[in-house]
Amino acid sequence: ERLAAASVPLPGASLELMSFLGVVVLLTFSKLARAAEDSKKQLRGSYQAGWQPSATSESVNCSCDDTSSLLLLTSSGLGAYAGDSLAPDWNTMNAFRDLVLQLPDNAWEEDGAAKKGIAQKQDISRIAARNFTEPGLYSGLTVVVLDDPCFLKESFWNELDPDFDRSIGINYQTTRMRTPVDLVRPFFGKGLDDGWCVNYSSKSPGYLGSLGFDSDRIHHVSLFDQLASDAFKDSVLNLSVHGLAPNSSAMSKVEMTRKDAAAMLSLLGAADVMIVNGGDPDFAKFVFMHFASVVLQPAIHKIKAGHTIYLGQSAGAMIAAADIGLTYAQSPNIFKMLLGKDSRGLRLAGNCAIRPHDTGLSSSRYDLASGVYGKLKGLNVARLSNGEGLKCIGTDCRVVGGDGQLGASVFEGRSDPHLERLTDAFQSSS
């Protein structure tokens, strides 16, 4: 109305001036309307009096074997990115809080039962109004963030990369990597992965630092950085960037007799929350399921027993699920030469595979691919938009965040005859 009032003709104004002012008003109004709509989409977690968790989350059949596991497999963490900041999604954040309340009482240093009891009596709308900041619940828990998916990113190592000093990101300096940057420097600008990785210690809304976790109990580490030799690292970098066959003499699995391996085993064993960052799912699989599997395996057992929460973001969600095949962002070299084209994941979420960063629309580039891929491999592909996650408590898996629904599809389920026609064609001999 204020803008409309401003467009009323002024006495003595020329027709050209009035027309010009009318165009300016229309453009301004249109721009403000778009900005308001964008803001509404981005701030799905913004305060609403009496807010309550969504009751429309879609149930997903993952055929999970583990009856106690606590999982949150997300597309983009605990919210959706709006430019350089994260717009927290309250339903996703509440899902994480709910998982924390499922932890055994002895997960906390002391008074675990009391902390959980107090938290369960809180008004959830008031908790949400402060973006789920709740130090009384989160203090005393230990978090380990595995940054191995970030290891091959340009922005993680190159000080000149515009994302190197991103306030909510990480780099080799902030995570205190052992690997000398001069070992990686020859590969700058030659084809390292793009994008950047998240600093879960951040105190910005939507990160663990803002929720009330103790800063000295959030540990960002990379198993590959800590346990691989420099010769091994150089060999992997050459493979990823140049496609050079790895030097077999430099490559070996971790031996538990080493003190640094024992230290990593101890750190992972102390984790109440294990987070796997976004980045390269192929390299993450190589580290977790081949190179350092002996170090990670006890932590996996704790996750399956419900004693540790697994939170995965993007690639971190893919590797935890049944399969990492649905991506094309990475060089194929690691997938071919280190993984032998084996796309199986850790299968913490049964037969569900995760496709993050989906548009949620049936026109998504991954709709047809996910349908056919899932049908051929016996998988249930969960296409998640940014802000969404797949939350599993034991065998009960549901979509949280966003609209609470998996991405729309042109197919009417896995028995759709059109999908069968496509999969039959892929399976037929030439």
Side-chain angles (χ1 to χ4, degrees):
E1 290 178 356
R2 172 66 179 80
L3 286 172
S7 66
V8 174
L10 300 173
S14 69
L15 181 62
E16 292 82 358
L17 178 59
M18 287 188 291
S19 297
F20 173 75
L21 289 173
V23 170
V24 170
V25 168
L26 286 172
L27 290 173
T28 303
F29 183 79
S30 176
K31 188 172 182 180
L32 288 173
R34 286 198 304 273
E37 186 62 28
D38 288 344
S39 178
K40 187 189 299 182
K41 291 177 182 177
Q42 293 167 4
L43 300 177
R44 287 175 290 189
S46 58
Y47 178 62
Q48 306 165 35
W51 178 90
Q52 293 296 314
S54 171
T56 60
S57 61
E58 180 178 351
S59 177
V60 183
N61 181 14
C62 292
S63 301
C64 295
D65 296 324
D66 305 306
T67 59
S68 302
S69 56
L70 304 173
L71 313 174
L72 184 56
L73 310 182
T74 74
S75 179
S76 54
L78 300 180
Y81 283 90
D84 291 335
S85 62
L86 182 76
D89 188 301
W90 282 1
N91 282 300
T92 306
M93 296 180 77
N94 184 62
F96 177 69
R97 180 180 188 267
D98 189 33
L99 292 179
V100 171
L101 290 172
Q102 305 297 320
L103 285 170
D105 297 345
N106 62 7
W108 286 261
E109 269 196 326
E110 55 185 17
D111 302 327
K115 289 186 174 187
K116 289 164 61 176
I118 293 171
Q120 287 165 338
K121 294 176 182 177
Q122 299 297 308
D123 181 343
I124 194 62
S125 66
R126 292 184 177 276
I127 298 293
R130 55 178 188 259
N131 271 323
F132 287 85
T133 300
E134 203 173 358
L137 175 61
Y138 299 118
S139 179
L141 295 174
T142 298
V143 181
V144 175
V145 187
L146 293 178
D147 294 321
D148 291 279
C150 313
F151 192 85
L152 298 178
K153 285 188 177 294
E154 177 99 14
S155 67
F156 190 76
W157 299 99
N158 189 347
E159 295 94 332
L160 299 180
D161 188 284
D163 289 323
F164 181 82
D165 286 321
R166 186 180 283 265
S167 61
I168 53 176
I170 55 172
N171 57 53
Y172 77 93
Q173 294 175 346
T174 58
T175 53
R176 300 179 181 180
M177 292 286 124
R178 281 186 181 181
T179 306
V181 67
D182 287 341
L183 186 149
V184 189
R185 200 178 303 279
F187 301 94
F188 289 176
K190 301 290 180 62
L192 290 171
D193 293 345
D194 58 10
W196 53 280
C197 278
V198 170
N199 179 9
Y200 272 91
S201 304
S202 171
K203 295 187 179 299
S204 297
Y207 300 100
L208 301 196
S210 75
L211 295 183
F213 283 87
D214 305 313
S215 59
D216 60 345
R217 286 179 169 270
I218 304 175
H219 308 277
H220 277 265
V221 297
S222 161
L223 299 180
F224 192 70
D225 168 73
Q226 292 286 318
L227 304 176
S229 67
D230 285 353
F232 197 162
K233 294 169 186 174
D234 183 69
S235 186
V236 168
L237 287 163
N238 268 299
L239 169 63
S240 177
V241 173
H242 300 304
L244 299 178
N247 183 351
S248 58
S249 64
M251 303 179 74
S252 62
K253 290 186 177 181
V254 174
E255 296 179 4
M256 283 309 302
T257 54
R258 292 171 48 182
K259 288 184 179 180
D260 47 8
M264 286 295 100
L265 186 69
S266 176
L267 178 63
L268 290 170
D272 303 303
V273 180
M274 189 172 85
I275 300 176
V276 178
N277 224 322
D280 190 325
D282 295 346
F283 184 65
K285 168 172 176 164
F286 170 71
V287 174
F288 300 153
M289 298 180 69
H290 295 275
F291 169 69
S293 59
V294 67
V295 176
L296 190 65
Q297 201 54 48
I300 298 300
H301 290 317
K302 281 191 65 179
I303 292 165
K304 291 181 176 182
H307 296 161
T308 299
I309 295 168
Y310 183 105
L311 170 60
Q313 173 173 334
S314 190
M318 295 178 75
I319 182 62
D323 193 278
I324 64 167
L326 283 170
T327 182
Y328 63 86
Q330 284 72 41
S331 157
N333 298 328
I334 289 176
F335 186 66
K336 288 180 180 178
M337 301 186 74
L338 292 186
L339 300 182
K341 300 183 181 179
D342 179 0
S343 61
R344 289 174 296 178
L346 291 167
R347 295 192 67 89
L348 297 179
N351 72 340
C352 277
I354 302 296
R355 175 54 234 174
H357 313 306
D358 197 86
T359 63
L361 306 175
S362 59
S363 58
S364 163
R365 69 181 69 179
Y366 275 105
D367 181 28
L368 286 173
S370 297
V372 174
Y373 193 79
K375 181 83 171 177
L376 287 173
K377 303 194 76 170
L379 303 171
N380 189 356
V381 179
R383 289 168 41 224
L384 300 174
S385 301
N386 288 341
E388 294 179 341
L390 183 70
K391 170 193 171 187
C392 297
I393 297 180
T395 58
D396 181 30
C397 295
R398 296 181 177 275
V399 180
V400 295
D403 63 3
Q405 305 293 308
L406 294 177
S409 177
V410 296
F411 300 120
E412 297 291 336
R414 297 181 67 180
S415 60
D416 188 314
H418 301 96
L419 178 56
E420 290 187 15
R421 168 64 180 80
L422 270 175
T423 53
D424 287 346
F426 274 91
Q427 289 176 314
S428 66
S429 57
S430 57

